[in-house]
Amino acid sequence: MTPVPAPVRIEPPVPAAIAEAAALLRHGGLVAFPTETVYGLGGDATADRAVAAIFAAKDRPSFNPLIVHVAEAHQAEALVKVDGRARRLMARFWPGPLTLVLPRADHSPVSLLASAGLDTIAVRLPDHAVARALIAAAGRPLAAPSANRSGAVSPTLAAHVAESLGARVAMILDGGPCRVGLESTVLDLSGPVPTLLRPGGIAPEAIEAVLGEELLHPAEDPAAPRSPGMLESHYAPGLPVRLDARSRRDGEALLAFGAAPADAALNLSPAGDLEEAAANLFASLRALDRPDFTAIAVMPIPETGLGLAINDRLRRAAAPRRAA
Ligand code: TXA
Ligand code: MG
């Protein structure tokens, strides 16, 4: 059966649309909104029903914990226990693409489903005026995973959200392309050693410089704790992905970085700039995910700064696929 394309409302982020979106959220509805990283699928983080609706809309296979978004740093204090390390990182990187996993505060209003029953909660203050206006207007923290079906490439444009979720979302606020283009860095501060659960928009080196200590990288230590959402195959386009490609094989689309062969289909950053490459990554994977190619071949990306997060997403896109 061919699914009937569902209508979806895409609105410019004018005050009237933000007010209407906030009202939808207060009544348990879901609204997709722009952040500096990727578009989020937002719901009231304090309402179990709204949080359950987020999992259902994404077809998440299990209840992975969600990030809770606030409009002002001080609002995090009612949700989680903020220690000195967290306070220093918030002062330096908030608003911005850094998510902190902290112990749940006593009397935290956040739904237990949002944190998947864990005694920690991930909090973030996005660096985007529309996101902050929406959270403030809703008057409550918003749980928001990336606004795509589970396992797919994260959306960096309103049109990506519409393609992926259709009418599963009540409204999409269109803030144009996301500036960073990769999800936030997730840092676990619930234990004695700060632990990098997901590389993202803030480079680990920058965090280490503020904390004055090295982060634990679970990716390099199989025994270390992991973010429950870090499934091996994730962020996957429909086509197979081949990494560290130096040239294009027959049928492939070559996704270049830096100086590129003439037959490259797209270039993440001709200048070899990692920030530019991060911002272009997901939109490029989507653009090349076409039936006239057999695979997407990606040129090597240096494993420094934002390159860590870019390579993390690319390795997941290239990982053996889970059964559907
Ligand atoms: O940039 C972003 O972070 C975007 C935008 C929309 O803000 N959001 C996002 O959310 O990427 P999501 O749900 O796709 O990823 C959340 C990540 C997952 O890897 C999840 O396992 C982890 O954060 N996480 C959330 N709460 C956690 C917790 N209490 N403990 C450990 N990991 C947690
Ligand atoms: Mg996601």
Side-chain angles (χ1 to χ4, degrees):
M1 277 205 313
T2 323
V4 179
V8 57
R9 284 182 62 194
I10 304 184
E11 298 288 339
V14 296
I18 291 174
E20 192 189 339
L24 285 167
L25 289 164
R26 281 195 299 273
H27 289 97
L30 304 185
V31 171
F33 62 94
T35 80
E36 81 281 28
T37 58
V38 299
Y39 276 76
L41 175 61
D44 181 348
T46 67
D48 293 327
R49 291 285 298 272
V51 175
I54 294 176
F55 288 112
K58 281 184 65 84
D59 291 330
R60 271 216 173 175
S62 60
F63 291 148
N64 296 326
L66 303 177
I67 296 172
V68 176
H69 297 66
V70 295
E72 301 292 342
H74 68 82
Q75 288 163 353
E77 310 259 354
L79 314 180
V80 289
K81 293 178 178 151
V82 179
D83 65 7
R85 298 172 302 180
R87 211 160 271 127
R88 274 185 284 149
L89 291 172
M90 289 171 176
R92 172 68 183 80
F93 297 114
W94 278 15
L98 177 65
T99 294
L100 299 175
V101 173
L102 292 163
R104 168 182 281 269
D106 303 330
H107 311 298
S108 178
V110 171
S111 157
L112 278 168
L113 190 53
S115 58
L118 298 173
D119 52 12
T120 55
I121 297 173
V123 290
R124 154 163 145 77
L125 173 53
D127 186 15
H128 199 294
V130 175
R132 293 178 72 178
L134 179 67
I135 302 162
R140 57 207 69 195
L142 298 182
S146 50
N148 54 275
R149 301 280 182 99
S150 186
V153 175
S154 294
T156 54
L157 286 175
H160 299 159
V161 181
E163 270 164 39
S164 195
L165 295 177
R168 291 172 174 222
V169 54
M171 191 197 285
I172 303 172
L173 289 170
D174 186 355
C178 299
R179 176 173 58 78
V180 176
L182 276 180
E183 296 85 349
S184 60
T185 300
V186 180
L187 182 71
D188 187 351
L189 288 179
S190 65
V193 186
T195 303
L196 182 70
L197 295 181
R198 177 177 76 181
I202 301 282
E205 297 91 323
I207 298 171
E208 288 172 340
V210 171
L211 292 180
E213 63 181 310
E214 280 189 26
L215 307 184
L216 189 66
H217 291 233
E220 293 155 18
D221 174 4
R226 297 188 136 252
S227 189
M230 295 303 272
L231 300 169
E232 192 167 308
S233 161
H234 205 69
Y235 308 98
L239 286 180
V241 174
R242 184 167 72 86
L243 302 182
D244 293 323
R246 304 283 165 176
S247 60
R248 193 182 73 88
R249 292 182 191 157
D250 209 30
E252 285 182 341
L254 183 67
L255 181 55
F257 176 81
D263 63 353
L266 285 176
N267 197 329
L268 290 170
S269 171
D273 177 65
L274 289 169
E275 273 185 39
E276 185 184 23
N280 288 330
L281 179 66
F282 290 147
S284 303
L285 288 175
R286 277 170 189 272
L288 298 181
D289 196 10
R290 300 196 325 233
D292 47 325
F293 295 122
T294 54
I296 302 172
V298 191
M299 287 177 65
I301 314 280
E303 189 79 10
T304 57
L306 276 184
L308 204 69
I310 297 172
N311 285 321
D312 171 80
R313 303 307 186 273
L314 284 171
R315 277 193 290 271
R316 280 167 216 288
R321 307 292 161 83
R322 284 168 290 150

